[in-house]
Amino acid sequence: MRESREQGRLVVQPRMGFGDLATMREGLLGVRAADAAAVGTITLDSYTRVNDHDSARQALRTGAELNGFPLVAHGPVATRRLLGEVSGDGFPVQVRHGSALPYPLFEAMVAAGVDATEGGPVSYCLPYSRAPISEAVKAWARCCELIAAQSEPMHLESFGGCMLGQLCPPSLLVALSVLEALFFREHGLSDISLSYAQQTHPGQDLEAIAALRRLAGERLAGADWHVVLYTFMGVFPRTLVGSFRILEESVRLAVRSGSERLIVKTPAEAHRIPTIAENVDALEFADAIARDEAGRAARASTPAAGSGAGAAHGSGAESGDEVRATDSGVYEEARMLVDSTLELAPTVGEALIRAFSRGHLDVPYCLHQDNANRSRAYVDPGGMLRWAEPGRMPLRVDRGGTARRPVSAKGLLGMLGFNERRFDREQLTHGHFTSRPSISARSAS
């Protein structure tokens, strides 16, 4: 990451996982050979995520298809051998899993010599698990302490900036990412990253990432940290061109915001699990756009262009349009959520438990039993993601002089499809494209 940052390169990464060792090896070698500054990914299967390792072993014995790599079932020896064949100083591999109670997995990863992993006591509990958040906090504390005790600790990435994928306002995403990073620091880790997922308004996303970087700089003294951006994780465009355009917007957002790493998506993910070739294609497309954006920034005559902390040019569905970071108070709101949460208890872990039990932190539309689910958010006509109801969170909601009606089921579905419509509109109006858009034809100049 440091070498790429010094070279001005955006690191790109897929979300790829296969059940058998041979295909997983082929996938990692494909990513390593890509014409991009890429790191590898081993995404785990659903059985492993919930610690049902017997079912994963049974699937391996019978040849049943798995939706990811069963690391514990394969065992540390086989996983270490796999990593030894494909990874190295110039090609680290991150394990992505989705487990709320991952201690057995962390033991296996340590034994296998895994470079990096991700998650967190909130971000891998509330969206993916029925486990109480108090149990997740205890489990993740043990995991952090386990890897902190190693001579070469794994890198750990907070997934806190990606809650539910969409419809969580940026201030809460930023606050949760910072709080999980502070939790990691509390338990002995100093090699960490913070996440943020692309939402519905590029200017608001620029503001949010600037807020995340500012808070991380203020709170993570002594840590080696970077920011990872996720290409939109919600309802994806259905057309090929729409899919590449939203990926392009996320790449330009990553470069302009100073994010060091980008998790890409492929057009296939709106319909099925992508192939190795489709993952590599998306990585190379993202790398080419990143180099184009870096060149544009270098040629720009205004000092604001290319600045991750303030104004930026280009973005939106039409990449040539001028866009600037909004000024909606994301930093102030996120800082207030972080500070007021930390005041609830002497440790970050206990503060998180108390915050959710009181509704002091409340993820909108999240059905986990430990989440109050009283807060609500909406996408305004301009694409800004805003609070409709704060629940018991200490937030001031600007209603613009008119009280909003409760969000209906139809309204919620409409908001969930906002980016799908935004990027598909032109293609659906003028007919579907059936081939991959060329970088020169489809990226803004």
Side-chain angles (χ1 to χ4, degrees):
M1 292 301 305
R2 280 193 296 270
E3 289 174 0
S4 296
R5 182 163 42 197
E6 290 167 359
Q7 295 167 7
R9 297 290 300 275
L10 174 67
V11 173
V12 292
Q13 181 177 355
R15 296 184 295 176
M16 184 175 63
F18 303 99
D20 64 282
L21 286 161
T23 309
M24 192 70 254
R25 182 185 299 106
E26 181 185 356
L28 289 170
L29 290 173
V31 172
R32 190 178 73 178
D35 183 16
V39 298
T41 302
I42 296 177
T43 300
L44 304 192
D45 67 293
S46 298
Y47 290 131
T48 302
R49 294 174 189 178
V50 295
N51 290 314
D52 186 2
H53 305 300
D54 289 339
S55 293
R57 294 184 183 98
Q58 176 68 13
L60 290 179
R61 285 194 296 269
T62 62
E65 187 174 355
L66 292 168
N67 64 345
F69 185 80
L71 190 150
V72 176
H74 278 303
V77 173
T79 305
R80 181 178 283 275
R81 186 182 307 117
L82 168 66
L83 293 173
E85 294 169 348
V86 299
S87 68
D89 290 343
F91 185 67
V93 175
Q94 182 186 44
V95 170
R96 310 186 65 85
H97 55 96
S99 178
L101 306 174
Y103 193 76
L105 171 60
F106 270 69
E107 288 183 307
M109 287 193 294
V110 167
V114 168
D115 297 311
T117 190
E118 44 84 57
V122 174
S123 59
Y124 266 12
C125 179
L126 296 190
Y128 305 132
S129 171
R130 295 176 181 171
I133 194 170
S134 58
E135 291 186 14
V137 165
K138 292 177 184 177
W140 277 89
R142 291 183 67 204
C143 291
C144 291
E145 290 163 5
L146 173 67
I147 60 178
Q150 306 307 309
S151 58
E152 294 185 17
M154 284 187 287
H155 175 91
L156 185 54
E157 171 198 324
S158 163
F159 197 65
C162 305
M163 294 295 295
L164 299 189
Q166 63 183 117
L167 295 187
C168 185
S171 61
L172 184 56
L173 296 178
V174 171
L176 289 174
S177 198
V178 171
L179 285 165
E180 284 198 334
L182 291 172
F183 177 87
F184 299 160
R185 290 286 287 143
E186 183 174 74
H187 292 283
L189 298 179
S190 59
D191 186 7
I192 57 182
S193 52
L194 303 92
S195 63
Y196 180 80
Q198 176 189 17
Q199 298 296 319
T200 53
H201 190 285
Q204 189 178 39
D205 287 339
L206 278 172
E207 179 188 0
I209 299 172
L212 177 61
R213 299 189 71 86
R214 181 177 173 185
L215 277 170
E218 293 168 350
R219 308 304 170 96
L220 299 177
D224 184 2
W225 61 270
H226 68 269
V227 169
V228 53
L229 175 68
Y230 285 68
T231 300
F232 184 63
M233 297 173 63
V235 180
F236 218 59
R238 290 176 290 150
T239 66
L240 187 63
V241 171
S243 298
F244 275 106
R245 288 178 67 141
I246 196 170
L247 173 56
E248 177 183 345
E249 179 173 286
S250 72
V251 176
R252 296 193 187 279
L253 172 63
V255 174
R256 292 162 184 161
S257 65
S259 300
E260 289 87 351
R261 181 159 51 102
L262 175 72
I263 310 297
V264 308
K265 288 187 73 171
T266 72
E269 290 180 66
H271 313 284
R272 56 174 170 76
I273 296 175
T275 65
I276 294 171
E278 287 166 336
N279 273 297
V280 171
D281 195 36
L283 292 173
E284 293 183 339
F285 178 83
D287 182 82
I289 296 296
R291 285 185 279 112
D292 174 69
E293 181 62 31
R296 284 159 52 93
R299 294 189 300 270
S301 58
T302 59
S307 170
H313 70 284
S315 200
E318 300 296 333
S319 297
D321 293 344
E322 292 290 328
V323 69
R324 293 182 180 274
T326 57
D327 185 15
S328 61
V330 172
Y331 167 78
E332 291 78 11
E333 201 167 84
R335 182 184 63 183
M336 181 272 297
L337 288 172
V338 169
D339 289 343
S340 59
T341 295
L342 295 176
E343 291 172 357
L344 297 177
T347 68
V348 180
E350 185 60 33
L352 287 169
I353 295 169
R354 293 183 185 180
F356 279 100
S357 69
R358 299 177 185 184
H360 187 84
L361 294 176
D362 183 359
V363 179
Y365 311 110
C366 175
L367 302 180
H368 190 280
Q369 69 268 21
D370 287 343
N371 186 63
N373 197 23
R374 293 188 178 186
S375 68
R376 291 290 179 265
Y378 71 99
V379 180
D380 75 10
M384 293 276 284
L385 186 52
R386 300 184 183 275
W387 292 107
E389 297 294 339
R392 293 194 294 266
M393 291 192 292
L395 302 175
R396 300 178 65 181
V397 174
D398 180 7
R399 301 181 184 278
T402 59
R404 287 187 53 82
R405 291 176 293 180
V407 176
S408 64
K410 181 179 180 180
L412 179 60
L413 288 174
M415 290 188 296
L416 290 172
F418 181 88
N419 268 349
E420 178 190 23
R421 294 190 304 276
R422 180 160 74 98
F423 288 92
D424 277 345
R425 185 178 294 116
E426 179 182 327
Q427 285 66 253
L428 293 176
T429 300
H430 297 96
H432 291 275
F433 288 89
T434 56
S435 61
R436 179 192 189 278
S438 68
I439 294 168
S440 59
R442 286 296 161 187
S443 66
S445 59

